Amino acid sequence: MESSGFWRRTPAFTPSKIHVEYSGQAITPDTAVRGLSSQRTPSPEPTSRPLTATSQSPPSDHLSPLSIQSPLSAQSPHKPADPTHEKFHMALGAATIDLALLQKLSWTGIPREYRAITWQLLMGYLPLASTRRAGTLQRKRKEYGDWVRQTFARGEDALDRVLWRQIQVDVPRTSPGSPVFQNPRVQRCLERILYAWAARHPASGYVQGINDLLTPFVYVFLEAECNGDTAALDRADLDAIDDAQMDGVEADSFWSLSKLLDGIQDNYTHAQPGIQRQIVKLKDLVTRVDHTLAAHLQSEGVEFVQFAFRWINCLLMRELRLESIIRMWDTYLAEPNGFAMFHIYVCAAMLLKWSAQLRAMDFQQIMLFLQQPPALQWATEDVELLLSEAYMLKCLYHDAPRHLHKN
């Protein structure tokens, strides 16, 4: 196989004593900065008909206006009535996107019809300048498409059999309760994306858990191609999506996954040192915030690695519903180093939320509880409250002196 560009990788206040109390109301970065006291109600999910964020595959010259230029060109002349929608409408309509503004808007949740294009911009997959977007999208989709055709043209016998077999085993287990990810077309996309990523990253290769991290991208980009018809998508009714559109979803998902994993690649190299470091940080943070809980876990023989490894390895994908994860990723993408540093504060906020219950349990009860925490039924408001609590912890403890953990 010829070498191509595909193989070239791309890239305080300090209180003397702190007592964290959960108020039951969401707090955003803006309100936290203004004294960590005033609150802002998160924007509701949109109900209007979404725009298409991605469209044709590399061979086609027809590309979605939203994905390459601006939603203004693909929308009706009437401005959105909802203030949040209007802010995104204007921010994404700029000739050059103001990244800081887009991050600020995204922290409290991205309206469904703007999510795909916003994620691609925040990930750095698409350039901020609208004039460069069409060329970039065509080039990246063609690069991935060419590699897939070259690699799979000789059949599965030419692939790394051990790697390919492991991926084929894991893909059907990915989001088993979702009809979308049990759809054969989608499963073939997942297999090719995961194989391509592993081949491009021989130092780490494919690790179980990466398949979970792929699903939000695929779902969000498919949703855009379905014009936001989540009912059809949840029924896995993908007949309306032609092969060219599916190719575009696959390529965009591959490059977005690559961008995500480039920031946390130490989590998936030999011995997964990134995860080990994050577990230590999580334990230290929980000890500083809730020494009583940390002492109880230790007295019961509970090691943080026993439950936190999966929380970090899969970014809570197995503890929360996909809808909740997607909302969480809106904020992660708006946060500096959101999938590594901010995720630790989210994990800490989850654990602290159940502190009273955990302190009344023994070892076996604790492990059963933390392996299946009661978070699968959370509504969007519960996720937003968790993110607010995590932000509070970040404001209070990030770069704070270590003496704060003392009684």
XYZ file of all heavy atoms in Angstrom, residues 119 170-171 173-176 178 180-182 186 190 193-194 209-223 233 249 253 257 260 314 317-318 320-323 325-326 329:
375
model
N -19.349 20.647 17.208
C -18.367 19.664 17.662
C -17.163 19.629 16.721
O -16.017 19.596 17.170
C -19.008 18.275 17.724
C -19.760 17.996 18.994
C -20.307 18.903 19.856
C -20.063 16.705 19.539
N -20.932 18.269 20.892
C -20.809 16.918 20.728
C -19.799 15.398 19.133
C -21.263 15.852 21.516
C -20.262 14.339 19.917
C -20.973 14.572 21.089
N -15.832 -6.890 19.555
C -16.247 -5.764 20.405
C -17.380 -4.937 19.803
O -18.205 -4.396 20.543
C -15.054 -4.850 20.692
C -14.093 -5.460 21.702
O -14.467 -6.476 22.325
O -12.985 -4.931 21.860
N -17.404 -4.807 18.495
C -18.398 -3.920 17.865
C -19.834 -4.319 18.194
O -20.653 -3.459 18.556
C -18.156 -3.813 16.349
C -19.382 -3.235 15.636
C -16.941 -2.924 16.081
N -20.913 -5.592 20.777
C -21.122 -5.311 22.196
C -21.215 -3.814 22.469
O -21.476 -3.403 23.599
C -19.966 -5.878 23.015
C -19.778 -7.386 22.907
C -18.493 -7.801 23.608
N -18.268 -9.241 23.555
C -17.146 -9.826 23.947
N -16.145 -9.094 24.425
N -17.011 -11.142 23.883
N -20.986 -3.015 21.478
C -20.997 -1.564 21.641
C -22.426 -1.053 21.697
O -23.198 -1.261 20.760
C -20.249 -0.891 20.467
O -18.919 -1.416 20.393
C -20.184 0.612 20.676
N -22.775 -0.389 22.794
C -24.150 0.119 22.993
C -25.174 -0.933 22.587
O -25.974 -0.718 21.669
C -24.363 1.401 22.183
O -23.513 2.424 22.629
N -25.188 -2.092 23.271
C -26.073 -3.185 22.848
C -27.554 -2.848 22.923
O -28.365 -3.464 22.236
C -25.720 -4.323 23.824
C -25.122 -3.637 25.008
C -24.396 -2.444 24.463
N -28.866 -0.037 21.938
C -29.200 0.970 20.929
C -29.402 0.317 19.568
O -28.467 -0.295 19.027
C -28.081 2.013 20.832
O -28.270 2.845 19.709
N -29.422 1.716 16.801
C -28.514 2.346 15.835
C -27.226 1.542 15.717
O -26.755 1.243 14.614
C -28.189 3.790 16.252
C -27.128 4.391 15.332
C -29.440 4.650 16.233
N -26.658 1.172 16.868
C -25.358 0.511 16.844
C -25.452 -1.001 16.680
O -24.433 -1.694 16.684
C -24.562 0.906 18.092
C -24.223 2.367 18.097
C -24.924 3.255 18.890
C -23.248 2.859 17.255
C -24.643 4.612 18.866
C -22.955 4.207 17.206
C -23.652 5.094 18.018
N -26.673 -1.498 16.509
C -26.861 -2.887 16.098
C -27.199 -2.971 14.611
O -27.389 -4.059 14.075
C -27.965 -3.528 16.930
C -27.671 -3.573 18.423
C -26.317 -4.180 18.747
O -26.020 -5.306 18.350
N -25.474 -3.435 19.456
N -24.018 0.508 10.239
C -23.279 1.260 11.248
C -22.152 0.408 11.822
O -21.037 0.899 12.037
C -24.235 1.736 12.362
C -23.455 2.406 13.486
C -25.279 2.697 11.795
N -18.124 1.235 12.131
C -17.344 1.180 13.370
C -16.110 0.304 13.193
O -15.015 0.663 13.653
C -18.205 0.635 14.513
C -19.445 1.429 14.928
C -20.130 0.752 16.104
C -19.102 2.860 15.276
N -13.458 2.180 11.097
C -12.883 3.307 11.836
C -11.901 2.813 12.885
O -10.776 3.331 13.014
C -13.990 4.151 12.500
C -14.831 4.863 11.440
C -13.386 5.179 13.455
C -16.094 5.509 11.994
N -12.295 1.811 13.653
C -11.434 1.308 14.728
C -10.169 0.661 14.177
O -9.075 0.824 14.726
C -12.209 0.318 15.597
C -13.375 0.928 16.391
C -14.211 -0.172 17.049
C -12.872 1.909 17.444
N -12.692 -0.209 24.901
C -13.106 1.077 25.457
C -13.095 2.151 24.387
O -13.927 3.064 24.414
N -12.172 2.034 23.438
C -12.133 3.009 22.348
C -13.396 2.885 21.499
O -13.900 3.886 20.972
C -10.855 2.813 21.491
C -9.609 3.141 22.322
C -10.891 3.688 20.242
C -8.303 2.930 21.588
N -13.917 1.674 21.381
C -15.158 1.492 20.620
C -16.307 2.293 21.241
O -17.153 2.843 20.539
C -15.529 0.011 20.548
C -15.607 -0.661 21.912
O -14.725 -0.493 22.744
N -16.646 -1.437 22.142
N -16.335 2.395 22.576
C -17.376 3.186 23.233
C -17.228 4.673 22.916
O -18.225 5.381 22.727
C -17.323 2.982 24.749
C -17.704 1.564 25.153
O -18.781 1.110 24.745
O -16.927 0.920 25.870
N -15.982 5.154 22.880
C -15.747 6.577 22.657
C -16.119 7.015 21.246
O -16.320 8.209 20.995
C -14.271 6.912 22.923
C -13.728 6.517 24.297
C -12.321 7.060 24.470
C -14.627 7.010 25.416
N -16.229 6.074 20.346
C -16.593 6.397 18.962
C -18.083 6.690 18.811
O -18.496 7.469 17.940
C -16.178 5.229 18.061
C -16.530 5.297 16.587
C -15.939 6.535 15.926
C -16.032 4.021 15.882
N -18.904 6.096 19.664
C -20.351 6.134 19.447
C -20.971 7.533 19.489
O -21.869 7.810 18.681
C -21.081 5.208 20.436
O -20.761 5.584 21.787
C -20.670 3.765 20.209
N -20.559 8.449 20.388
C -21.187 9.778 20.350
C -20.978 10.494 19.020
O -21.895 11.160 18.525
C -20.500 10.524 21.511
C -20.074 9.446 22.450
C -19.664 8.314 21.568
N -19.786 10.380 18.450
C -19.531 11.045 17.172
C -20.434 10.467 16.078
O -21.060 11.208 15.311
C -18.067 10.886 16.770
C -17.098 11.603 17.670
C -16.143 10.901 18.381
C -17.145 12.982 17.808
C -15.255 11.558 19.216
C -16.259 13.653 18.643
C -15.310 12.925 19.351
N -20.490 9.143 15.998
C -21.293 8.506 14.954
C -22.763 8.901 15.120
O -23.439 9.236 14.136
C -21.118 6.977 14.998
C -22.070 6.299 14.008
C -19.673 6.592 14.679
N -23.255 8.882 16.332
C -24.660 9.186 16.572
C -24.978 10.639 16.197
O -25.968 10.917 15.514
C -25.028 8.935 18.030
C -26.518 9.017 18.293
C -27.312 7.887 18.205
C -27.132 10.227 18.596
C -28.682 7.943 18.429
C -28.496 10.307 18.812
C -29.268 9.164 18.729
O -30.622 9.245 18.939
N -24.142 11.567 16.646
C -24.386 12.991 16.387
C -24.325 13.282 14.889
O -25.164 14.017 14.349
C -23.372 13.864 17.156
C -23.396 15.309 16.654
C -23.694 13.836 18.646
N -23.366 12.702 14.183
C -23.240 12.969 12.754
C -24.342 12.270 11.955
O -24.817 12.803 10.947
C -21.857 12.558 12.253
C -20.725 13.320 12.923
C -19.445 12.789 12.992
C -20.944 14.553 13.513
C -18.407 13.482 13.608
C -19.921 15.256 14.143
C -18.650 14.713 14.186
N -24.757 11.092 12.406
C -25.906 10.437 11.770
C -27.179 11.241 11.998
O -28.008 11.394 11.094
C -26.098 9.025 12.335
C -25.253 7.901 11.752
C -25.492 6.615 12.539
C -25.545 7.677 10.274
N -27.336 11.751 13.200
C -28.509 12.551 13.524
C -28.611 13.759 12.604
O -29.701 14.138 12.161
C -28.440 12.998 14.983
C -29.662 13.737 15.476
C -29.526 14.115 16.936
O -28.535 14.785 17.291
O -30.415 13.744 17.716
N -33.872 7.642 13.774
C -32.520 7.188 14.088
C -32.555 6.115 15.171
O -31.863 5.098 15.078
C -31.656 8.369 14.529
C -30.170 8.096 14.733
C -29.546 7.537 13.461
C -29.451 9.376 15.147
N -20.203 10.490 7.124
C -20.330 10.274 8.572
C -19.152 9.457 9.077
O -18.559 9.759 10.128
C -21.660 9.565 8.899
C -21.678 9.061 10.341
C -22.835 10.505 8.658
N -16.343 10.893 11.620
C -16.247 10.228 12.923
C -14.823 9.762 13.187
O -14.318 9.869 14.311
C -17.218 9.046 12.996
O -18.553 9.472 12.856
N -12.701 11.195 16.294
C -12.159 10.268 17.290
C -10.650 10.442 17.420
O -10.108 10.429 18.534
C -12.486 8.827 16.894
C -11.912 7.748 17.822
C -12.633 7.740 19.161
C -11.997 6.366 17.156
N -9.891 13.461 19.485
C -10.160 13.201 20.897
C -9.037 12.382 21.519
O -8.498 12.748 22.582
C -11.488 12.448 21.036
C -11.782 11.794 22.391
C -11.859 12.825 23.495
C -13.055 10.970 22.323
N -13.480 4.558 29.789
C -14.632 4.685 28.880
C -15.344 6.022 29.028
O -16.421 6.225 28.429
C -15.623 3.552 29.127
S -14.942 1.903 28.860
N -19.038 6.163 29.709
C -19.965 5.739 28.661
C -20.869 4.601 29.122
O -21.984 4.450 28.635
C -19.184 5.283 27.426
C -18.555 6.397 26.622
S -19.756 7.364 25.691
C -20.588 6.107 24.755
N -20.393 3.785 30.071
C -21.183 2.637 30.511
C -21.992 2.941 31.773
O -22.756 2.093 32.226
C -20.264 1.433 30.729
C -19.549 1.027 29.440
C -18.651 -0.163 29.610
N -17.899 -0.431 28.382
C -17.023 -1.414 28.243
N -16.786 -2.227 29.263
N -16.370 -1.586 27.100
N -23.676 6.079 32.021
C -24.703 7.050 31.636
C -25.299 6.676 30.281
O -24.662 5.987 29.473
C -24.109 8.462 31.556
C -23.552 9.047 32.851
C -22.765 10.308 32.554
C -24.672 9.349 33.830
N -26.503 7.153 30.027
C -27.119 6.956 28.717
C -26.379 7.765 27.666
O -25.751 8.785 27.973
C -28.586 7.378 28.747
C -29.484 6.508 29.605
C -30.918 6.999 29.552
N -31.030 8.372 30.036
C -31.694 9.333 29.420
N -32.291 9.108 28.263
N -31.764 10.542 29.927
N -26.469 7.337 26.421
C -25.787 8.040 25.337
C -26.239 9.494 25.258
O -25.420 10.392 25.030
C -26.038 7.328 24.002
C -25.351 7.938 22.777
C -23.841 7.983 22.963
C -25.710 7.144 21.521
N -27.519 9.745 25.442
C -28.018 11.113 25.419
C -27.342 11.974 26.481
O -26.990 13.133 26.236
C -29.536 11.118 25.641
C -30.167 12.504 25.650
C -31.650 12.460 25.967
O -32.223 11.352 26.062
O -32.245 13.549 26.124
N -24.348 11.363 27.786
C -22.941 11.509 27.393
C -22.780 12.617 26.363
O -21.856 13.444 26.440
C -22.400 10.179 26.844
C -22.277 9.142 27.964
C -21.055 10.380 26.141
C -21.235 9.463 29.015
N -23.673 12.659 25.393
C -23.598 13.692 24.357
C -23.720 15.072 24.980
O -22.967 15.994 24.635
C -24.677 13.446 23.287
C -24.300 12.210 22.454
C -24.845 14.664 22.385
C -25.389 11.752 21.503
N -20.508 15.875 26.692
C -19.411 16.206 25.778
C -19.527 17.628 25.233
O -18.509 18.217 24.851
C -19.352 15.178 24.645
C -18.715 13.885 25.071
C -18.614 13.388 26.350
C -18.091 12.915 24.226
N -17.977 12.172 26.342
C -17.645 11.854 25.053
C -17.897 12.828 22.852
C -16.989 10.730 24.544
C -17.251 11.714 22.345
C -16.790 10.678 23.179
